[in-house]
């Protein structure tokens, strides 16, 4: 066991697009577990777009990260010391600091069943991203058989799951993503009905009209911005818009810059519903969602991709890559192999 | 009985703010009632902001008015000829042409009980405007005791009813309107907790912050535009926004001109819901709403104002006045006295 380890702290609050200098690598001691705690070794770290919001100190749905303290997030780890319930060798998940070793209260960790899926899946398809897709689409979007579901950020971890669940429910699914490789993945591997590359489409509005000849009944909005403006022009009566992410606006320096056509006239014309949500709103139904996702996964109805970057030192790179569309599926950093 | 009468037709589709020249007065024959029809004499005509949408031939929630044909809307009339069910002298309501006399199938008319309230009330508080307030606020807004409800267009027919129902439900009510006279009406006559004159406020955002120290739980949006932008900045978690009107955008020449801050980042932060609706969505529950409104009216819990303009020839003026904020409460035109 080493005496010291690396920790990643928030060095400053980003202005616009986050940069390397917003992060600081600090050498700290490997902690001694106290009563009720176990020592864990970090195996996988999750980086997610919502973390950009936590880097700011504005009012949001989660507490901002503190300056000069460790950044925290979804982490899978291996238990190194026996506790009251957990045993050495158990693989666990928790909201932990970005560091190599942590001493954590057992109650803050959940033991994983790695027979159902590899441990890393619990950061994605069987974790927050899968549950985000599940509840946002089914509880707010409520797709019916034969309806048209459009999803933006479609090749991302949430978006790709949304589209597949919509297909399971019998909807026609149109994905929007930013590279030809992603488009091929959506159409060929995930069997989306249509997929649009917004970066190469001459006119995103026309491309959407062609892809959605019967209009749009559900729009799962992962991006906000001009892409969403174009989809909102095609809403059918009583359309539903789960608003999950606005990645296109996360990096503007102030919200005032994120201007577009106001939605009110369109919502009135179509009697449509837009609702923001976060997966935490559904905490009391997580077991329902996790069970269904695991079942679909076992039955081969759900596929997922992971982009696994190796090495603790590459966590900031992997996070910054989210905003450049570098990842396909869930972005994970492998810090160490569970033994 | 005269042989001829006046009818108001749509002469052209307005560009931007409607003007007198968009209307045409035409002399037509007073019709003979056919089998199943009665002849009625127009008593009161309703003019409503939503009609601006029908003057355009764009896709909307109601059929556009046809060019060179009569404009239609809510009308109260006196029956002049006995029918199968209706009798001479009955006072009825229907969706009728803007003309002095009409021959109408009895099934398209509903006989009014003028013991509960004067006939004109059925175009307002006991009609579509009252029901719009009732269903939009209670079904989408769902105000709870102690919550803050903001309503824009607060001195209008819908807005003033929304605020009063919110008070009945125990909410704190803040109205936004456009003249000191309207502000005095809201605070003194309708007992709103706060009212803001958006035309004289130095900074609408600051004025709203002062009027809503605990944030905004329900925003009944009658106007869209910059006023709504400011309210949306103050949403609390899980806020609800019934989107009823966007009068500020009705008269822009194209929707592209109605630009403002995109709502997605704010909806995500607050997990808020925005939903467009029209009263027709609740047609199967009209009797529930009408019964409750009549009860509150009888118990003195609801007050309403009417701006009654006299004379058939002034219908276009009264309609155009809606967009200048000239009316207080429901705008009605009295065409003839029911005998």
């Amino acid at each position: 066991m080493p005496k010291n380890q690396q920790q990643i702290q928030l060095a400053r609050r980003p202005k616009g697009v986050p940069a390397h200098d917003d992060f600081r690598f600090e050498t700290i001691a490997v902690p001694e577990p106290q009563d009720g705690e176990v020592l864990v070794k970090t195996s996988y770290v999750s980086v997610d777009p919502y973390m950009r919001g936590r880097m700011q100190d504005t009012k949001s749905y989660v507490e901002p990260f503190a300056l000069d303290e460790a950044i925290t997030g979804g982490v899978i780890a291996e238990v190194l010391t026996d506790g009251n319930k957990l045993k050495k060798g158990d693989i666990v998940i928790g909201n932990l600091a970005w560091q190599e070793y942590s001493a954590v209260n057992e109650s803050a960790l959940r033991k994983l069943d790695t027979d159902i899926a590899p441990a890393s899946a619990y950061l994605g398809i069987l974790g927050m991203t899968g549950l985000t897709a599940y509840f946002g689409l089914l509880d707010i979007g409520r797709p019916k058989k034969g309806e048209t579901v459009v999803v933006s950020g479609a090749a991302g971890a949430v978006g790709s799951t949304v589209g597949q669940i919509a297909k399971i429910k019998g909807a026609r699914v149109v994905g929007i993503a930013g590279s030809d490789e992603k488009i091929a993945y959506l159409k060929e591997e995930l069997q989306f009905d249509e997929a649009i590359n917004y970066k190469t489409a001459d006119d995103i509005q026309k491309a959407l009209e062609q892809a959605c000849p019967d209009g749009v009944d559900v729009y799962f909005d992962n991006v906000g911005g001009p892409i969403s403006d174009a989809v909102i022009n095609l809403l059918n009566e009583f359309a539903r818009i789960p608003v999950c992410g606005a990645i296109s606006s996360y990096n503007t320096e102030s919200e005032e810059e994120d201007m577009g056509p106001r939605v009110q006239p369109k919502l009135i014309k179509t009697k449509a519903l837009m609702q923001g949500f976060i997966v935490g709103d559904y905490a009391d139904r997580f077991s329902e969602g996790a069970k269904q996702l695991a079942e679909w996964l076992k039955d081969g109805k759900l596929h997922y991709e992971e982009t696994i970057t190796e090495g603790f030192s590459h966590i900031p790179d992997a996070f910054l890559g989210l905003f450049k569309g570098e990842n396909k599926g869930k972005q994970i950093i492998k810090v160490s192999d569970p033994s």
Side-chain angles (χ1 to χ4, degrees), chain A:
Chain A
M1 182 63 47
K3 277 204 170 160
N4 292 322
Q5 63 164 335
Q6 291 289 295
Q7 181 186 69
I8 301 175
Q9 301 180 344
L10 181 64
R12 64 174 189 195
R13 304 203 181 277
K15 291 195 172 138
V17 182
H20 276 279
D21 290 351
D22 300 328
F23 300 94
R24 178 191 305 121
F25 283 80
E26 194 73 27
T27 301
I28 63 163
V30 171
E32 289 282 339
Q34 308 296 308
D35 244 22
E37 291 184 340
V38 289
L39 183 68
V40 303
K41 184 178 183 188
T42 299
S43 309
Y44 296 100
V45 167
S46 176
V47 289
D48 299 276
Y50 83 88
M51 292 175 159
R52 173 66 183 83
R54 297 192 66 185
M55 297 177 80
Q56 233 54 47
D57 59 356
T58 50
K59 186 182 166 190
S60 185
Y61 52 83
V62 281
E63 278 297 291
F65 295 126
L67 267 183
D68 302 320
E69 292 191 14
I71 290 174
T72 61
V75 165
I76 286 170
E78 183 188 354
V79 176
L80 298 184
T81 60
D82 283 338
N84 292 321
K85 291 179 213 154
L86 294 171
K87 294 219 164 58
K88 192 177 165 192
D90 283 349
I91 305 299
V92 295
I93 189 166
N95 191 64
L96 305 181
W98 284 3
Q99 56 194 39
E100 295 168 282
Y101 298 87
S102 295
V104 190
N105 197 295
E106 283 186 86
S107 64
L109 299 170
R110 184 164 60 90
K111 188 180 165 183
L112 300 181
D113 178 354
T114 51
D115 290 341
I116 296 176
S120 61
Y122 287 91
L123 290 176
I125 189 85
L126 294 180
M128 291 304 134
T129 51
L131 293 167
T132 299
Y134 181 88
F135 288 111
L137 180 67
L138 297 184
D139 201 69
I140 301 173
R142 300 185 298 277
K144 295 194 212 62
K145 202 173 167 180
E147 286 192 328
T148 298
V149 173
V150 174
V151 53
S152 52
V158 172
S160 60
T161 310
V162 165
Q164 291 179 85
I165 298 175
K167 290 294 294 178
I168 291 170
K169 296 291 178 185
R172 189 168 174 281
V173 175
V174 176
I176 306 171
S179 78
D180 287 342
E181 189 200 346
K182 288 176 180 176
I183 297 304
Y185 166 65
L186 295 175
K187 292 178 77 165
E188 286 153 33
E189 292 186 49
L190 301 187
Q191 309 294 317
F192 278 36
D193 297 279
E194 290 287 345
I196 297 169
N197 182 342
Y198 72 89
K199 286 190 181 162
T200 57
D202 285 334
D203 180 334
I204 180 77
Q205 187 70 66
K206 277 194 187 147
L208 274 163
E209 280 166 24
Q210 279 169 8
C212 307
D214 299 324
V216 175
D217 300 293
V218 178
Y219 172 46
F220 195 103
D221 189 353
N222 277 313
V223 302
I227 290 173
S228 295
D229 299 342
V231 181
I232 290 171
N233 284 331
L234 302 180
L235 297 182
N236 287 333
E237 268 207 330
F238 301 112
R240 290 82 64 196
I241 307 179
V243 184
C244 180
I247 200 165
S248 74
S249 78
Y250 288 170
N251 296 326
T252 57
E253 296 201 20
S254 85
E255 276 163 9
E256 265 47 67
E257 290 177 14
D258 184 33
M259 303 285 276
R262 290 196 180 89
V263 296
Q264 284 95 333
K266 291 159 194 176
L267 296 184
I268 296 171
K269 273 184 195 172
T270 59
K271 289 97 68 98
L273 175 150
M274 273 182 104
Q275 188 172 353
F277 76 102
I278 60 164
V279 65
D281 302 341
Y282 296 92
D284 58 342
R285 291 173 57 196
F286 277 179
S287 58
E288 165 205 331
K291 195 179 152 204
Q292 178 64 79
L293 290 164
E295 206 167 286
W296 283 331
L297 195 63
K298 212 179 59 188
D299 293 349
K301 289 184 180 169
L302 274 187
H303 301 85
Y304 66 98
E305 290 260 337
E306 292 171 336
T307 299
I308 299 193
T309 303
E310 304 242 352
F312 185 82
S313 62
H314 292 121
I315 294 175
D317 293 309
F319 175 73
L320 301 177
L322 295 175
F323 302 98
K324 299 176 204 152
E326 288 178 355
N327 57 308
K328 198 169 74 180
K330 175 68 191 165
Q331 174 69 56
I332 288 170
I333 299 91
K334 184 174 170 181
V335 175
S336 70
D337 261 318
S339 56

